[in-house]
Amino acid sequence: MTPPSDAPGSAEAPVLAVDIGGTKLAAALVGPDGRVTASGRVPTPNEPGVDGEELWRTLEALLGKLVADAGDPPLAGVGVGCGGPMTWPAAEVSPLNIPAWRGFPLRARLRARYPGLPVRIHNDAICVAVGEHWRGAGRGHDDVLGMVVSTGVGGGLILGGRLVNGASGNAGHIGHVIVDPGGPPCACGGRGCLEAVARGPGLVAWAREQGWRRGDGATTGVELAADARGGDPVAVAAMRRAGRALGIAIASATHLCDLQVVAIGGGVSQTGSLLFEPLDEAFDTHARMDFARRVRIVPAALGQTAGLVGAAALVFAQDRYWSAG
Amino acid sequence: MTPPSDAPGSAEAPVLAVDIGGTKLAAALVGPDGRVTASGRVPTPNEPGVDGEELWRTLEALLGKLVADAGDPPLAGVGVGCGGPMTWPAAEVSPLNIPAWRGFPLRARLRARYPGLPVRIHNDAICVAVGEHWRGAGRGHDDVLGMVVSTGVGGGLILGGRLVNGASGNAGHIGHVIVDPGGPPCACGGRGCLEAVARGPGLVAWAREQGWRRGDGATTGVELAADARGGDPVAVAAMRRAGRALGIAIASATHLCDLQVVAIGGGVSQTGSLLFEPLDEAFDTHARMDFARRVRIVPAALGQTAGLVGAAALVFAQDRYWSAG
């Protein structure tokens, strides 16, 4: 093994990778091979009344402690996945589920905190897709859609081996592909989006309308998925509904982008065949052309670390995943 | 003006551009500025029983005469748009509406006929999109969807300033984005595709079901569009139906790819506001996020020559439009 170099930015130096969500702040040191060598997390201070500076100090403390505990290694850079929307690449962030940050200058703050290092920030779902392409289920393929099906439905698009950013860094919004034009209203203001149908809370709302109740009063997608695995007919029907919507959206995306692999992660996707069987069935109904039928639709491979690994790849594999300044 | 150079492939030499469709074979000499300096066309020999070699000889004669009549100028290359499907980039073509060619080795034949010149072939709708990006409605923008709405619905996708080919050269199939999962069956074998709803013959079929009849017995999209302009309520409703489907598909594509411009060409698109008003209305209903609302949806600018201009661009602007060997 090559001895570690002391030079900042050397090939052996890890990236400080960060994942910012409404529930937790996670950070890790990720090596050039995609391995996590140290990690930490804290709950996101997200109570009403928390101000943006307090949230920033919590994040700064998490990062400082992680790097210090690892012996202050030289860093190759800082890579961050954060909930959208944000301006991109400037990354003034306004995460929907973190009200304390509205137009918060996250990239500028991190640059000031880590001077001389590249700091790169992208949408959290894009980081998951990048992680799955770099070291996960999409590895070795040039045309990949990575998806996260959870409280929301997000994604990222790699075409011709490179991350697609689109005009404003917003490419990959598979959650707002329309699967049912007359369907339920979506939080985006539209109607019938994949996210409106297939996100966890959307499934729960639908299941409750159909009479789904639990003795323990639980009302989240996790419990709904558990009941589906246990054979509850309404819960199974909710998963079918989600799977069908996913199959339709993936057929549309495959026709438009001629994909090789679609990797699906996130909590809802962990329902396994209860989700993937109706998904495959709907895809099979709607995707009949030879080129589309060659796509492989698979569970994501990296689990919870995908976003951190992808955030690191924004630095390590900038030729593929970072086209901005 | 710079005097023309004699060297083959010089900057001033035109591309021999070719557009192969079920109705006509068209060819042109296109300069590096995108201007057509000479052109010709013949009806496609497409009667039942025509064999592939006869069709090839007709094409070869058209091209030979065009170049000879222009004084046998040196050529920069040969660029071709042809109906799909085809293998790509080898371009063994099997155009749906030209039964005489099934796996016909068009690229190999043209290479043998024009030795030493680059020969590049892509889907005809992709050539239209490339033409609109290079010299038409998408010029100067990095993220563009070009569409053709006619007997079929096709398209091509330019992202980050480059043509997206996808895994097998089939990216851009906007006609098979699903707009109505329970909708009419599509020629592709699927259901509810944009093409199934919005292609000319689809509109006519729908209008006839609703009682549309003309005294002259005409049954094509051209007459349906004319009746819509004349105020026939069923014909107007057919255009609304097409516009709505287009608006939904474009909203999906914009969310997935974060587009700047969508340029719509082809016969059906010439209906003007009868098509674009319901299109804009449906887009407005389904595309509510800021980034999506910035997209401009416009008529194509180049008209009938877009495909030839785009075929020429496969040679002239290979850094943007040709990534294969």
Side-chain angles (χ1 to χ4, degrees):
Chain A
M1 190 177 145
T2 315
S5 157
D6 286 326
S10 81
E12 293 295 318
V15 163
L16 176 56
V18 188
D19 188 4
I20 294 173
T23 307
K24 63 172 171 43
L25 307 176
L29 296 177
V30 178
D33 57 0
R35 292 208 193 147
V36 173
T37 55
S39 65
R41 61 165 67 186
V42 294
T44 306
N46 210 4
E47 303 76 30
V50 166
D51 90 344
E53 294 303 324
E54 185 178 342
L55 181 53
W56 165 252
R57 286 191 297 273
T58 305
L59 177 65
E60 205 182 9
L62 170 70
L63 304 186
K65 182 173 186 313
L66 178 74
V67 176
D69 287 354
D72 269 319
L75 297 173
V78 182
V80 184
C82 184
M86 68 179 74
T87 63
W88 186 88
E92 294 185 344
V93 303
S94 310
L96 280 181
N97 52 6
I98 306 181
W101 278 0
R102 285 294 171 269
F104 185 81
L106 183 60
R107 194 179 189 200
R109 289 296 182 90
L110 285 166
R111 280 178 154 166
R113 176 68 185 75
Y114 297 94
L117 292 182
V119 174
R120 294 172 186 161
I121 303 178
H122 224 317
N123 182 285
D124 51 2
I126 283 182
C127 287
V128 169
V130 164
E132 289 291 336
H133 184 250
W134 191 45
R135 298 293 182 219
R139 190 172 185 167
H141 297 281
D142 276 351
D143 302 285
V144 173
L145 172 65
M147 298 179 64
V148 181
V149 185
S150 177
T151 312
V153 177
L157 201 51
I158 286 94
L159 298 177
R162 287 161 190 271
L163 177 65
V164 173
N165 292 298
S168 60
N170 279 296
H173 269 86
I174 181 81
H176 301 276
V177 164
I178 293 122
V179 297
D180 180 6
C186 184
C188 73
R191 179 171 285 280
C193 300
L194 171 62
E195 178 169 291
V197 177
R199 76 193 203 105
L203 296 181
V204 166
W206 183 85
R208 289 177 66 86
E209 276 173 31
Q210 313 298 313
W212 178 65
R213 292 289 183 278
R214 278 172 59 116
D216 61 4
T219 59
T220 76
V222 174
E223 285 91 5
L224 182 67
D227 276 12
R229 282 189 298 269
D232 179 279
V234 172
V236 168
M239 291 300 151
R240 283 195 64 79
R241 187 172 145 84
R244 183 166 171 274
L246 284 160
I248 292 167
I250 291 170
S252 288
T254 301
H255 289 147
L256 189 59
C257 299
D258 190 6
L259 303 166
Q260 289 168 298
V261 174
V262 178
I264 307 178
V268 173
S269 74
Q270 290 165 23
T271 326
S273 62
L274 284 165
L275 187 78
F276 279 87
E277 276 176 17
L279 188 165
D280 289 342
E281 197 179 292
F283 182 84
D284 198 54
T285 298
H286 289 285
R288 303 304 305 171
M289 287 186 287
D290 287 346
F291 84 86
R293 297 177 69 78
R294 288 192 288 261
V295 72
R296 290 194 311 114
I297 305 169
V298 298
L302 299 184
Q304 296 280 26
T305 66
L308 290 164
V309 171
L314 298 180
V315 176
F316 283 128
Q318 59 181 327
D319 55 322
R320 279 174 280 168
Y321 307 125
W322 192 259
S323 57
Chain B
M1 190 177 145
T2 314
S5 158
D6 285 326
S10 82
E12 293 296 317
V15 163
L16 175 57
V18 188
D19 187 5
I20 295 173
T23 307
K24 64 172 170 43
L25 307 175
L29 296 178
V30 178
D33 56 0
R35 292 209 194 148
V36 172
T37 55
S39 65
R41 61 166 65 189
V42 295
T44 305
N46 211 5
E47 302 78 29
V50 166
D51 90 344
E53 294 303 324
E54 184 179 341
L55 180 53
W56 165 251
R57 285 191 297 273
T58 304
L59 176 66
E60 205 182 10
L62 169 70
L63 304 186
K65 182 172 187 309
L66 178 73
V67 176
D69 286 353
D72 269 318
L75 298 172
V78 182
V80 184
C82 183
M86 69 178 73
T87 63
W88 184 89
E92 294 184 343
V93 303
S94 310
L96 281 180
N97 52 6
I98 306 182
W101 278 359
R102 284 296 172 268
F104 185 82
L106 183 59
R107 194 178 189 200
R109 290 293 183 89
L110 285 167
R111 280 176 153 168
R113 176 67 185 76
Y114 296 95
L117 292 182
V119 174
R120 294 174 185 157
I121 303 178
H122 224 317
N123 183 284
D124 50 2
I126 284 182
C127 287
V128 169
V130 163
E132 289 291 335
H133 183 251
W134 191 44
R135 298 293 182 219
R139 189 171 186 169
H141 296 280
D142 276 350
D143 302 286
V144 173
L145 172 65
M147 298 179 64
V148 181
V149 185
S150 177
T151 312
V153 177
L157 201 51
I158 286 95
L159 297 177
R162 287 159 190 272
L163 177 65
V164 174
N165 293 298
S168 58
N170 279 296
H173 269 86
I174 181 79
H176 301 277
V177 164
I178 294 124
V179 296
D180 181 5
C186 184
C188 73
R191 178 172 286 279
C193 300
L194 171 61
E195 177 169 291
V197 177
R199 77 192 202 105
L203 296 181
V204 167
W206 183 86
R208 289 177 65 86
E209 276 172 31
Q210 312 299 315
W212 178 65
R213 294 288 183 279
R214 278 173 59 115
D216 61 4
T219 59
T220 76
V222 174
E223 285 90 4
L224 182 67
D227 276 12
R229 283 191 296 270
D232 179 281
V234 172
V236 167
M239 291 300 151
R240 284 195 64 79
R241 186 173 145 84
R244 183 166 171 275
L246 284 161
I248 292 167
I250 292 170
S252 288
T254 302
H255 288 148
L256 189 60
C257 299
D258 190 6
L259 303 165
Q260 290 168 298
V261 174
V262 178
I264 308 178
V268 173
S269 75
Q270 290 165 22
T271 327
S273 62
L274 284 165
L275 187 78
F276 278 87
E277 275 176 18
L279 188 166
D280 289 342
E281 196 179 294
F283 182 83
D284 198 54
T285 298
H286 289 284
R288 303 302 306 171
M289 286 186 288
D290 287 345
F291 83 86
R293 297 177 69 78
R294 289 192 288 261
V295 72
R296 291 194 309 117
I297 305 169
V298 297
L302 299 184
Q304 296 280 27
T305 65
L308 289 164
V309 171
L314 298 179
V315 176
F316 282 128
Q318 60 179 324
D319 55 322
R320 280 174 279 168
Y321 307 123
W322 192 258
S323 57

